[in-house]
Amino acid sequence: MQRIIAASSLCSRILRNERQRAFSSSSSLLFDDTQLQFKESVRQFALENIAPHASKIDQSNSFPKEVNLWKLMGDFNLHGITAPEEYGGLGLGYLYHCIAMEEISRASGSVGLSYGAHSNLCINQLVRNGSPSQKEKYLPKLISGEHVGALAMSEPNAGSDVVSMKCKADRVDGGYLINGNKMWCTNGPTAQTLVVYAKTNVTAGSKGITAFIIEKGMPGYSTAQKLDKLGMRGSDTCELVFENCFVPEENVLGKEGKGVYVLMSGLDLERLVLSAGPVGIMQACLDVVLPYIRERSQFGRPIGEFQFIQGKVADMYTSLQSSRSYVYSVARDCDNGRVDPRFLLFSLYPIPILKDFLVFFFGTMLKSTSNVYLTGHFNSNYFFGGAF
Amino acid sequence: MKIMVAVKRVVDYAVKIRVRPDKNGVETQNVKMSMNPFCEIALEEALKIKESGFAKEVVAVSMGPSNCVDTLRTGLAMGADRAIHVEASRDLVPLTVAKLLKKLVEVENPGLLILGKQAIDDDCNQTGQMIAGLLGWPQGTFASKVVLDKEKHTASVDREVDGGLETLCLDLPAVITTDLRLNQPRYATLPNIMKAKSKPIKKYTPEELNVEIKSDFEVVQVTEPPKRKAGVILSSVDELIDKLKNEAHVI
């Protein structure tokens, strides 16, 4: 009973203070003025350039054809947030990257996922592990948005146990020949530059993995059917096929046999940045729910006045704020040099929270038996098709 | 040439406005505020003129309490070179703003003063015209297109007026107020937000500028417009005439 009373008073305060589309997440403890300004700026950008395409992206299961979102985001300096300025990046930290990820996901979950794969999985990996000549060759076009980046590690039989991957890289004169398949590669269909992990030494377990930079058009490399996913539709995902694909020696990322370090350390930070995605999606749900419960009337009153709804919305709000606080405090620690893999593992915390959150969200919407509101835009945000 | 742009901090255009319970005004507590949309357009035009080489510096000006600085920072992040904040704790009416602007113009000597045509909170549409009058400068209001001529030192302004489009040629220095279709304001990108942190914001007080803050009118009451009543479907012309005569009293 107490919980409901507390929840409803929190909720009525939220209802009193919020305004349509002007619901500012009271996060002044999390961000300083510059970060708030940046957040607001990306929000405006995403609202005007990404959100209008969101439901069409979901329906057609691909990025819009009439506007080049990659280029637009590149012009807005969103891709190279963590990359050095000499390649066109901003040389900033993960906090800013998370802010960008959150606001883009708020506009469209699919675009957010693709953006995360491109800017963090690919670009950030090159930044952290690439040689100067590799960075020189690949980063500028990736950061400007002219090229799309991707990363491939999972295979049909190697998901959680990614180290058991079967994709082979055999040493030949001048480079390697890669044979095998990769599954669930986000941005795979469109990427020009891909970071791919393969086994140079099949018997050496985790120490036999090497990371390679693959270019679209390399003979022997092709992409197979685009995957038709339940959610995050529009974030192009496909299978990659390598048939005697020759990769020159200078395309080894890091050192031969040291691929697992590239992979694991990259995953830690990837979890952090991509966890800002669910935070953005939760915020987007709240953006929809709050005005709705004030307008929708049943039994003579706006449904937002009913305790049950208030309880649900309060739960949504607290889930969102707790996830957000966690993600950004971990991001801040990373920027200050305190990269703790345990915290980064738990930065996935927003995902189970998102699942609970969506139960509340559905509950609130369905309670008033209004199916109309489940627009295509939000369908794309509901589930995570094995991306993690 | 220097361009001065006056910007105002107002309730964000997307916000649903509510009247305060004491009926003295509109609720502004905990409400999202941002730069007046017409002021954004004014600043964008100034930046465009600077980028085309006609001006060397863009100075953004705002007047009001200390949170005006947020708006000025947005302006700096868009690309203004410097900012000026006139700190005033009370609400300023257009005539006072115009008088303060006049003093600043005397200090800064801009070749062009650009403002939004009106603020979306009071919809006064007066400040630009008043400052032009006080300075004795030509004015081109409701501008939908501005073209500068460097040699002749003039500005050609297309104005959106009730009858259509009117083109005026103004000798510089001049006052221009911007209308909606003049341009599309740019976003503040992150590199510019970073650069803006080091740009200077100069503070003045009305006393330093020798301007007295007073208003010749006071707001007595602010109420919402009456709710629309449901319409009535009439069955005959006679009934219509009867209602127009006896209920609405218009004939």
Side-chain angles (χ1 to χ4, degrees), chain A residues 19-20 22 34 37-38 40-41 45 48-49 76-77 90 92 96 294, chain B residues 14-16 18 32 73-74 77 187-191 193-194 197:
Chain A
R19 293 289 186 271
Q20 185 172 12
T34 316
Q37 229 185 335
F38 176 58
E40 187 51 46
S41 198
F45 169 82
E48 287 169 27
N49 294 287
F76 207 66
N77 304 106
L90 293 180
L92 291 172
Y96 281 97
R294 300 174 88 231
Chain B
V15 164
K16 241 181 179 173
R18 270 194 172 178
K32 183 169 177 221
R73 284 218 196 285
T74 309
Y187 300 108
T189 61
L190 187 52
I193 293 176
M194 290 295 176
K197 289 207 286 199

PDB file of all heavy atoms in Angstrom, chain A residues 19-20 22 34 37-38 40-41 45 48-49 76-77 90 92 96 294, chain B residues 14-16 18 32 73-74 77 187-191 193-194 197:
ATOM      1  N   ARG A  19       5.564  18.360 -19.566  1.00  0.00           N
ATOM      2  CA  ARG A  19       4.826  18.936 -20.681  1.00  0.00           C
ATOM      3  C   ARG A  19       5.107  18.065 -21.882  1.00  0.00           C
ATOM      4  O   ARG A  19       6.134  17.448 -21.993  1.00  0.00           O
ATOM      5  CB  ARG A  19       5.297  20.361 -20.968  1.00  0.00           C
ATOM      6  CG  ARG A  19       4.980  21.345 -19.880  1.00  0.00           C
ATOM      7  CD  ARG A  19       3.488  21.647 -19.795  1.00  0.00           C
ATOM      8  NE  ARG A  19       3.229  22.688 -18.832  1.00  0.00           N
ATOM      9  CZ  ARG A  19       3.006  22.471 -17.541  1.00  0.00           C
ATOM     10  NH1 ARG A  19       3.015  21.261 -17.086  1.00  0.00           N
ATOM     11  NH2 ARG A  19       2.786  23.476 -16.740  1.00  0.00           N
ATOM     12  N   GLN A  20       4.201  18.076 -22.808  1.00  0.00           N
ATOM     13  CA  GLN A  20       4.378  17.237 -23.980  1.00  0.00           C
ATOM     14  C   GLN A  20       5.679  17.553 -24.693  1.00  0.00           C
ATOM     15  O   GLN A  20       5.966  18.698 -24.980  1.00  0.00           O
ATOM     16  CB  GLN A  20       3.218  17.482 -24.938  1.00  0.00           C
ATOM     17  CG  GLN A  20       3.233  16.570 -26.136  1.00  0.00           C
ATOM     18  CD  GLN A  20       1.970  16.713 -26.938  1.00  0.00           C
ATOM     19  OE1 GLN A  20       1.212  17.641 -26.707  1.00  0.00           O
ATOM     20  NE2 GLN A  20       1.746  15.815 -27.865  1.00  0.00           N
ATOM     21  N   ALA A  22       8.394  18.144 -23.826  1.00  0.00           N
ATOM     22  CA  ALA A  22       9.377  18.953 -23.129  1.00  0.00           C
ATOM     23  C   ALA A  22       9.752  18.263 -21.829  1.00  0.00           C
ATOM     24  O   ALA A  22      10.235  18.874 -20.926  1.00  0.00           O
ATOM     25  CB  ALA A  22       8.821  20.337 -22.854  1.00  0.00           C
ATOM     26  N   THR A  34      27.706  21.543 -20.586  1.00  0.00           N
ATOM     27  CA  THR A  34      28.088  21.234 -21.966  1.00  0.00           C
ATOM     28  C   THR A  34      27.451  19.931 -22.420  1.00  0.00           C
ATOM     29  O   THR A  34      26.958  19.826 -23.541  1.00  0.00           O
ATOM     30  CB  THR A  34      29.614  21.107 -22.077  1.00  0.00           C
ATOM     31  OG1 THR A  34      30.208  22.166 -21.365  1.00  0.00           O
ATOM     32  CG2 THR A  34      30.055  21.127 -23.517  1.00  0.00           C
ATOM     33  N   GLN A  37      23.877  20.455 -23.110  1.00  0.00           N
ATOM     34  CA  GLN A  37      23.716  21.160 -24.376  1.00  0.00           C
ATOM     35  C   GLN A  37      23.854  20.183 -25.542  1.00  0.00           C
ATOM     36  O   GLN A  37      23.084  20.214 -26.504  1.00  0.00           O
ATOM     37  CB  GLN A  37      24.808  22.230 -24.493  1.00  0.00           C
ATOM     38  CG  GLN A  37      24.282  23.583 -24.888  1.00  0.00           C
ATOM     39  CD  GLN A  37      25.394  24.577 -25.116  1.00  0.00           C
ATOM     40  OE1 GLN A  37      26.488  24.462 -24.576  1.00  0.00           O
ATOM     41  NE2 GLN A  37      25.119  25.565 -25.921  1.00  0.00           N
ATOM     42  N   PHE A  38      24.858  19.310 -25.444  1.00  0.00           N
ATOM     43  CA  PHE A  38      25.086  18.320 -26.483  1.00  0.00           C
ATOM     44  C   PHE A  38      23.895  17.382 -26.590  1.00  0.00           C
ATOM     45  O   PHE A  38      23.400  17.085 -27.673  1.00  0.00           O
ATOM     46  CB  PHE A  38      26.362  17.528 -26.180  1.00  0.00           C
ATOM     47  CG  PHE A  38      26.619  16.415 -27.141  1.00  0.00           C
ATOM     48  CD1 PHE A  38      26.745  16.669 -28.501  1.00  0.00           C
ATOM     49  CD2 PHE A  38      26.742  15.112 -26.704  1.00  0.00           C
ATOM     50  CE1 PHE A  38      26.976  15.651 -29.409  1.00  0.00           C
ATOM     51  CE2 PHE A  38      26.982  14.084 -27.603  1.00  0.00           C
ATOM     52  CZ  PHE A  38      27.093  14.353 -28.948  1.00  0.00           C
ATOM     53  N   GLU A  40      20.820  17.914 -25.774  1.00  0.00           N
ATOM     54  CA  GLU A  40      19.695  18.644 -26.357  1.00  0.00           C
ATOM     55  C   GLU A  40      19.870  18.780 -27.859  1.00  0.00           C
ATOM     56  O   GLU A  40      18.938  18.646 -28.641  1.00  0.00           O
ATOM     57  CB  GLU A  40      19.605  20.017 -25.701  1.00  0.00           C
ATOM     58  CG  GLU A  40      18.388  20.815 -26.077  1.00  0.00           C
ATOM     59  CD  GLU A  40      17.101  20.063 -25.911  1.00  0.00           C
ATOM     60  OE1 GLU A  40      16.925  19.414 -24.864  1.00  0.00           O
ATOM     61  OE2 GLU A  40      16.280  20.099 -26.843  1.00  0.00           O
ATOM     62  N   SER A  41      21.109  19.053 -28.260  1.00  0.00           N
ATOM     63  CA  SER A  41      21.413  19.247 -29.664  1.00  0.00           C
ATOM     64  C   SER A  41      21.185  17.963 -30.467  1.00  0.00           C
ATOM     65  O   SER A  41      20.557  17.979 -31.527  1.00  0.00           O
ATOM     66  CB  SER A  41      22.872  19.684 -29.777  1.00  0.00           C
ATOM     67  OG  SER A  41      23.124  20.267 -31.004  1.00  0.00           O
ATOM     68  N   PHE A  45      18.408  17.110 -33.417  1.00  0.00           N
ATOM     69  CA  PHE A  45      18.850  16.525 -34.684  1.00  0.00           C
ATOM     70  C   PHE A  45      18.104  15.224 -34.961  1.00  0.00           C
ATOM     71  O   PHE A  45      17.588  15.006 -36.052  1.00  0.00           O
ATOM     72  CB  PHE A  45      20.364  16.282 -34.622  1.00  0.00           C
ATOM     73  CG  PHE A  45      20.886  15.449 -35.743  1.00  0.00           C
ATOM     74  CD1 PHE A  45      21.163  16.006 -36.974  1.00  0.00           C
ATOM     75  CD2 PHE A  45      21.116  14.086 -35.565  1.00  0.00           C
ATOM     76  CE1 PHE A  45      21.644  15.229 -38.017  1.00  0.00           C
ATOM     77  CE2 PHE A  45      21.590  13.305 -36.604  1.00  0.00           C
ATOM     78  CZ  PHE A  45      21.853  13.878 -37.825  1.00  0.00           C
ATOM     79  N   GLU A  48      14.368  15.655 -35.745  1.00  0.00           N
ATOM     80  CA  GLU A  48      14.043  16.201 -37.058  1.00  0.00           C
ATOM     81  C   GLU A  48      14.513  15.321 -38.201  1.00  0.00           C
ATOM     82  O   GLU A  48      13.928  15.337 -39.279  1.00  0.00           O
ATOM     83  CB  GLU A  48      14.633  17.607 -37.194  1.00  0.00           C
ATOM     84  CG  GLU A  48      13.859  18.615 -36.363  1.00  0.00           C
ATOM     85  CD  GLU A  48      14.574  19.955 -36.274  1.00  0.00           C
ATOM     86  OE1 GLU A  48      15.344  20.276 -37.202  1.00  0.00           O
ATOM     87  OE2 GLU A  48      14.382  20.665 -35.282  1.00  0.00           O
ATOM     88  N   ASN A  49      15.597  14.559 -37.996  1.00  0.00           N
ATOM     89  CA  ASN A  49      16.157  13.815 -39.126  1.00  0.00           C
ATOM     90  C   ASN A  49      15.963  12.309 -39.071  1.00  0.00           C
ATOM     91  O   ASN A  49      15.996  11.656 -40.093  1.00  0.00           O
ATOM     92  CB  ASN A  49      17.665  14.087 -39.218  1.00  0.00           C
ATOM     93  CG  ASN A  49      17.944  15.525 -39.569  1.00  0.00           C
ATOM     94  OD1 ASN A  49      17.737  15.921 -40.693  1.00  0.00           O
ATOM     95  ND2 ASN A  49      18.392  16.305 -38.615  1.00  0.00           N
ATOM     96  N   PHE A  76      27.112  15.652 -38.603  1.00  0.00           N
ATOM     97  CA  PHE A  76      26.844  16.132 -37.257  1.00  0.00           C
ATOM     98  C   PHE A  76      27.916  15.649 -36.283  1.00  0.00           C
ATOM     99  O   PHE A  76      27.753  15.773 -35.078  1.00  0.00           O
ATOM    100  CB  PHE A  76      25.455  15.647 -36.811  1.00  0.00           C
ATOM    101  CG  PHE A  76      24.807  16.540 -35.810  1.00  0.00           C
ATOM    102  CD1 PHE A  76      24.427  17.824 -36.147  1.00  0.00           C
ATOM    103  CD2 PHE A  76      24.583  16.101 -34.522  1.00  0.00           C
ATOM    104  CE1 PHE A  76      23.834  18.651 -35.220  1.00  0.00           C
ATOM    105  CE2 PHE A  76      23.991  16.920 -33.584  1.00  0.00           C
ATOM    106  CZ  PHE A  76      23.619  18.190 -33.935  1.00  0.00           C
ATOM    107  N   ASN A  77      29.007  15.108 -36.810  1.00  0.00           N
ATOM    108  CA  ASN A  77      30.140  14.641 -35.992  1.00  0.00           C
ATOM    109  C   ASN A  77      29.765  13.569 -34.990  1.00  0.00           C
ATOM    110  O   ASN A  77      30.298  13.520 -33.885  1.00  0.00           O
ATOM    111  CB  ASN A  77      30.775  15.804 -35.198  1.00  0.00           C
ATOM    112  CG  ASN A  77      31.212  16.928 -36.086  1.00  0.00           C
ATOM    113  OD1 ASN A  77      30.576  17.968 -36.129  1.00  0.00           O
ATOM    114  ND2 ASN A  77      32.265  16.722 -36.828  1.00  0.00           N
ATOM    115  N   LEU A  90      36.265  13.515 -32.686  1.00  0.00           N
ATOM    116  CA  LEU A  90      36.152  14.585 -31.706  1.00  0.00           C
ATOM    117  C   LEU A  90      37.089  14.391 -30.527  1.00  0.00           C
ATOM    118  O   LEU A  90      37.237  15.285 -29.697  1.00  0.00           O
ATOM    119  CB  LEU A  90      34.714  14.670 -31.182  1.00  0.00           C
ATOM    120  CG  LEU A  90      33.690  15.119 -32.213  1.00  0.00           C
ATOM    121  CD1 LEU A  90      32.311  15.160 -31.597  1.00  0.00           C
ATOM    122  CD2 LEU A  90      34.044  16.467 -32.769  1.00  0.00           C
ATOM    123  N   LEU A  92      36.690  12.774 -27.863  1.00  0.00           N
ATOM    124  CA  LEU A  92      36.012  12.845 -26.565  1.00  0.00           C
ATOM    125  C   LEU A  92      35.846  11.436 -26.001  1.00  0.00           C
ATOM    126  O   LEU A  92      36.344  10.474 -26.556  1.00  0.00           O
ATOM    127  CB  LEU A  92      34.652  13.510 -26.730  1.00  0.00           C
ATOM    128  CG  LEU A  92      34.714  14.995 -27.066  1.00  0.00           C
ATOM    129  CD1 LEU A  92      33.329  15.500 -27.409  1.00  0.00           C
ATOM    130  CD2 LEU A  92      35.283  15.788 -25.906  1.00  0.00           C
ATOM    131  N   TYR A  96      30.112  11.065 -23.784  1.00  0.00           N
ATOM    132  CA  TYR A  96      29.476  11.733 -24.916  1.00  0.00           C
ATOM    133  C   TYR A  96      28.939  10.728 -25.917  1.00  0.00           C
ATOM    134  O   TYR A  96      27.892  10.924 -26.521  1.00  0.00           O
ATOM    135  CB  TYR A  96      30.479  12.674 -25.602  1.00  0.00           C
ATOM    136  CG  TYR A  96      30.646  13.980 -24.860  1.00  0.00           C
ATOM    137  CD1 TYR A  96      31.689  14.168 -23.972  1.00  0.00           C
ATOM    138  CD2 TYR A  96      29.737  15.010 -25.048  1.00  0.00           C
ATOM    139  CE1 TYR A  96      31.828  15.353 -23.283  1.00  0.00           C
ATOM    140  CE2 TYR A  96      29.868  16.208 -24.369  1.00  0.00           C
ATOM    141  CZ  TYR A  96      30.917  16.373 -23.485  1.00  0.00           C
ATOM    142  OH  TYR A  96      31.051  17.543 -22.805  1.00  0.00           O
ATOM    143  N   ARG A 294      -2.612  11.582 -19.937  1.00  0.00           N
ATOM    144  CA  ARG A 294      -3.295  12.818 -19.569  1.00  0.00           C
ATOM    145  C   ARG A 294      -4.452  13.109 -20.508  1.00  0.00           C
ATOM    146  O   ARG A 294      -5.402  13.781 -20.137  1.00  0.00           O
ATOM    147  CB  ARG A 294      -2.325  14.001 -19.585  1.00  0.00           C
ATOM    148  CG  ARG A 294      -1.186  13.810 -18.608  1.00  0.00           C
ATOM    149  CD  ARG A 294      -0.166  14.905 -18.752  1.00  0.00           C
ATOM    150  NE  ARG A 294      -0.525  16.029 -17.902  1.00  0.00           N
ATOM    151  CZ  ARG A 294      -0.599  17.272 -18.316  1.00  0.00           C
ATOM    152  NH1 ARG A 294      -0.360  17.572 -19.559  1.00  0.00           N
ATOM    153  NH2 ARG A 294      -0.923  18.233 -17.484  1.00  0.00           N
TER     154      ARG A 294
ATOM    155  N   ALA B  14       7.404  23.958 -28.310  1.00  0.00           N
ATOM    156  CA  ALA B  14       6.662  22.692 -28.289  1.00  0.00           C
ATOM    157  C   ALA B  14       5.898  22.486 -26.992  1.00  0.00           C
ATOM    158  O   ALA B  14       5.116  21.552 -26.878  1.00  0.00           O
ATOM    159  CB  ALA B  14       7.636  21.540 -28.496  1.00  0.00           C
ATOM    160  N   VAL B  15       6.127  23.354 -26.023  1.00  0.00           N
ATOM    161  CA  VAL B  15       5.534  23.163 -24.706  1.00  0.00           C
ATOM    162  C   VAL B  15       4.069  23.577 -24.699  1.00  0.00           C
ATOM    163  O   VAL B  15       3.678  24.562 -25.322  1.00  0.00           O
ATOM    164  CB  VAL B  15       6.330  24.007 -23.668  1.00  0.00           C
ATOM    165  CG1 VAL B  15       5.563  24.165 -22.391  1.00  0.00           C
ATOM    166  CG2 VAL B  15       7.671  23.375 -23.418  1.00  0.00           C
ATOM    167  N   LYS B  16       3.261  22.812 -23.972  1.00  0.00           N
ATOM    168  CA  LYS B  16       1.846  23.182 -23.810  1.00  0.00           C
ATOM    169  C   LYS B  16       1.764  24.226 -22.705  1.00  0.00           C
ATOM    170  O   LYS B  16       2.055  23.942 -21.550  1.00  0.00           O
ATOM    171  CB  LYS B  16       1.052  21.937 -23.397  1.00  0.00           C
ATOM    172  CG  LYS B  16      -0.011  21.556 -24.367  1.00  0.00           C
ATOM    173  CD  LYS B  16      -0.759  20.348 -23.877  1.00  0.00           C
ATOM    174  CE  LYS B  16      -1.841  20.010 -24.888  1.00  0.00           C
ATOM    175  NZ  LYS B  16      -2.527  18.810 -24.628  1.00  0.00           N
ATOM    176  N   ARG B  18       0.473  26.767 -19.845  1.00  0.00           N
ATOM    177  CA  ARG B  18      -0.578  26.774 -18.826  1.00  0.00           C
ATOM    178  C   ARG B  18      -0.582  28.116 -18.139  1.00  0.00           C
ATOM    179  O   ARG B  18       0.478  28.682 -17.865  1.00  0.00           O
ATOM    180  CB  ARG B  18      -0.262  25.715 -17.789  1.00  0.00           C
ATOM    181  CG  ARG B  18      -0.857  24.398 -18.120  1.00  0.00           C
ATOM    182  CD  ARG B  18      -0.800  23.540 -16.916  1.00  0.00           C
ATOM    183  NE  ARG B  18      -1.529  22.327 -17.110  1.00  0.00           N
ATOM    184  CZ  ARG B  18      -1.598  21.375 -16.217  1.00  0.00           C
ATOM    185  NH1 ARG B  18      -0.986  21.535 -15.069  1.00  0.00           N
ATOM    186  NH2 ARG B  18      -2.276  20.285 -16.444  1.00  0.00           N
ATOM    187  N   LYS B  32      10.363  23.841 -20.001  1.00  0.00           N
ATOM    188  CA  LYS B  32      11.535  23.920 -20.888  1.00  0.00           C
ATOM    189  C   LYS B  32      11.599  25.275 -21.579  1.00  0.00           C
ATOM    190  O   LYS B  32      10.612  25.753 -22.137  1.00  0.00           O
ATOM    191  CB  LYS B  32      11.430  22.800 -21.927  1.00  0.00           C
ATOM    192  CG  LYS B  32      12.619  22.734 -22.837  1.00  0.00           C
ATOM    193  CD  LYS B  32      12.585  21.461 -23.665  1.00  0.00           C
ATOM    194  CE  LYS B  32      13.757  21.471 -24.623  1.00  0.00           C
ATOM    195  NZ  LYS B  32      13.414  20.990 -25.921  1.00  0.00           N
ATOM    196  N   ARG B  73      24.710  30.943 -24.669  1.00  0.00           N
ATOM    197  CA  ARG B  73      25.626  29.832 -24.953  1.00  0.00           C
ATOM    198  C   ARG B  73      25.182  29.066 -26.187  1.00  0.00           C
ATOM    199  O   ARG B  73      26.000  28.602 -26.973  1.00  0.00           O
ATOM    200  CB  ARG B  73      25.676  28.856 -23.774  1.00  0.00           C
ATOM    201  CG  ARG B  73      26.462  29.363 -22.646  1.00  0.00           C
ATOM    202  CD  ARG B  73      27.270  28.280 -21.949  1.00  0.00           C
ATOM    203  NE  ARG B  73      27.688  28.802 -20.660  1.00  0.00           N
ATOM    204  CZ  ARG B  73      28.655  29.693 -20.501  1.00  0.00           C
ATOM    205  NH1 ARG B  73      29.324  30.115 -21.530  1.00  0.00           N
ATOM    206  NH2 ARG B  73      28.944  30.143 -19.307  1.00  0.00           N
ATOM    207  N   THR B  74      23.859  28.911 -26.317  1.00  0.00           N
ATOM    208  CA  THR B  74      23.370  28.260 -27.543  1.00  0.00           C
ATOM    209  C   THR B  74      23.775  29.077 -28.755  1.00  0.00           C
ATOM    210  O   THR B  74      24.219  28.546 -29.770  1.00  0.00           O
ATOM    211  CB  THR B  74      21.837  28.140 -27.511  1.00  0.00           C
ATOM    212  OG1 THR B  74      21.450  27.547 -26.290  1.00  0.00           O
ATOM    213  CG2 THR B  74      21.331  27.306 -28.666  1.00  0.00           C
ATOM    214  N   ALA B  77      27.305  28.566 -29.440  1.00  0.00           N
ATOM    215  CA  ALA B  77      27.527  27.231 -30.004  1.00  0.00           C
ATOM    216  C   ALA B  77      27.105  27.179 -31.469  1.00  0.00           C
ATOM    217  O   ALA B  77      27.661  26.425 -32.263  1.00  0.00           O
ATOM    218  CB  ALA B  77      26.765  26.190 -29.206  1.00  0.00           C
ATOM    219  N   TYR B 187      22.075  23.468 -36.510  1.00  0.00           N
ATOM    220  CA  TYR B 187      22.196  22.838 -35.193  1.00  0.00           C
ATOM    221  C   TYR B 187      23.516  23.242 -34.563  1.00  0.00           C
ATOM    222  O   TYR B 187      24.479  23.540 -35.261  1.00  0.00           O
ATOM    223  CB  TYR B 187      22.208  21.314 -35.327  1.00  0.00           C
ATOM    224  CG  TYR B 187      20.991  20.739 -35.958  1.00  0.00           C
ATOM    225  CD1 TYR B 187      21.051  20.215 -37.242  1.00  0.00           C
ATOM    226  CD2 TYR B 187      19.784  20.689 -35.283  1.00  0.00           C
ATOM    227  CE1 TYR B 187      19.936  19.673 -37.832  1.00  0.00           C
ATOM    228  CE2 TYR B 187      18.663  20.146 -35.866  1.00  0.00           C
ATOM    229  CZ  TYR B 187      18.750  19.636 -37.140  1.00  0.00           C
ATOM    230  OH  TYR B 187      17.646  19.090 -37.723  1.00  0.00           O
ATOM    231  N   ALA B 188      23.573  23.195 -33.248  1.00  0.00           N
ATOM    232  CA  ALA B 188      24.856  23.406 -32.580  1.00  0.00           C
ATOM    233  C   ALA B 188      25.551  22.052 -32.527  1.00  0.00           C
ATOM    234  O   ALA B 188      25.104  21.148 -31.826  1.00  0.00           O
ATOM    235  CB  ALA B 188      24.624  23.934 -31.168  1.00  0.00           C
ATOM    236  N   THR B 189      26.615  21.870 -33.312  1.00  0.00           N
ATOM    237  CA  THR B 189      27.315  20.589 -33.301  1.00  0.00           C
ATOM    238  C   THR B 189      28.257  20.536 -32.111  1.00  0.00           C
ATOM    239  O   THR B 189      28.636  21.560 -31.550  1.00  0.00           O
ATOM    240  CB  THR B 189      28.141  20.395 -34.582  1.00  0.00           C
ATOM    241  OG1 THR B 189      29.103  21.436 -34.652  1.00  0.00           O
ATOM    242  CG2 THR B 189      27.255  20.401 -35.799  1.00  0.00           C
ATOM    243  N   LEU B 190      28.647  19.331 -31.753  1.00  0.00           N
ATOM    244  CA  LEU B 190      29.452  19.165 -30.544  1.00  0.00           C
ATOM    245  C   LEU B 190      30.777  19.933 -30.591  1.00  0.00           C
ATOM    246  O   LEU B 190      31.151  20.560 -29.598  1.00  0.00           O
ATOM    247  CB  LEU B 190      29.697  17.667 -30.293  1.00  0.00           C
ATOM    248  CG  LEU B 190      30.391  17.333 -28.977  1.00  0.00           C
ATOM    249  CD1 LEU B 190      29.693  17.985 -27.809  1.00  0.00           C
ATOM    250  CD2 LEU B 190      30.422  15.834 -28.785  1.00  0.00           C
ATOM    251  N   PRO B 191      31.522  19.914 -31.703  1.00  0.00           N
ATOM    252  CA  PRO B 191      32.761  20.702 -31.711  1.00  0.00           C
ATOM    253  C   PRO B 191      32.502  22.172 -31.414  1.00  0.00           C
ATOM    254  O   PRO B 191      33.271  22.798 -30.683  1.00  0.00           O
ATOM    255  CB  PRO B 191      33.297  20.540 -33.143  1.00  0.00           C
ATOM    256  CG  PRO B 191      32.631  19.357 -33.681  1.00  0.00           C
ATOM    257  CD  PRO B 191      31.328  19.205 -32.980  1.00  0.00           C
ATOM    258  N   ILE B 193      29.937  23.404 -29.686  1.00  0.00           N
ATOM    259  CA  ILE B 193      29.547  23.534 -28.289  1.00  0.00           C
ATOM    260  C   ILE B 193      30.802  23.606 -27.430  1.00  0.00           C
ATOM    261  O   ILE B 193      30.897  24.390 -26.480  1.00  0.00           O
ATOM    262  CB  ILE B 193      28.670  22.346 -27.837  1.00  0.00           C
ATOM    263  CG1 ILE B 193      27.330  22.375 -28.563  1.00  0.00           C
ATOM    264  CG2 ILE B 193      28.433  22.373 -26.338  1.00  0.00           C
ATOM    265  CD1 ILE B 193      26.434  21.201 -28.265  1.00  0.00           C
ATOM    266  N   MET B 194      31.805  22.799 -27.797  1.00  0.00           N
ATOM    267  CA  MET B 194      33.068  22.810 -27.056  1.00  0.00           C
ATOM    268  C   MET B 194      33.772  24.147 -27.208  1.00  0.00           C
ATOM    269  O   MET B 194      34.250  24.733 -26.239  1.00  0.00           O
ATOM    270  CB  MET B 194      33.988  21.694 -27.586  1.00  0.00           C
ATOM    271  CG  MET B 194      33.516  20.316 -27.239  1.00  0.00           C
ATOM    272  SD  MET B 194      33.578  20.127 -25.484  1.00  0.00           S
ATOM    273  CE  MET B 194      32.904  18.542 -25.255  1.00  0.00           C
ATOM    274  N   LYS B 197      32.603  27.242 -25.152  1.00  0.00           N
ATOM    275  CA  LYS B 197      32.931  27.376 -23.725  1.00  0.00           C
ATOM    276  C   LYS B 197      33.962  28.457 -23.490  1.00  0.00           C
ATOM    277  O   LYS B 197      33.992  29.082 -22.444  1.00  0.00           O
ATOM    278  CB  LYS B 197      33.459  26.048 -23.171  1.00  0.00           C
ATOM    279  CG  LYS B 197      32.386  24.987 -23.056  1.00  0.00           C
ATOM    280  CD  LYS B 197      32.668  23.981 -21.976  1.00  0.00           C
ATOM    281  CE  LYS B 197      33.773  23.025 -22.360  1.00  0.00           C
ATOM    282  NZ  LYS B 197      33.729  21.811 -21.533  1.00  0.00           N
TER     283      LYS B 197
END
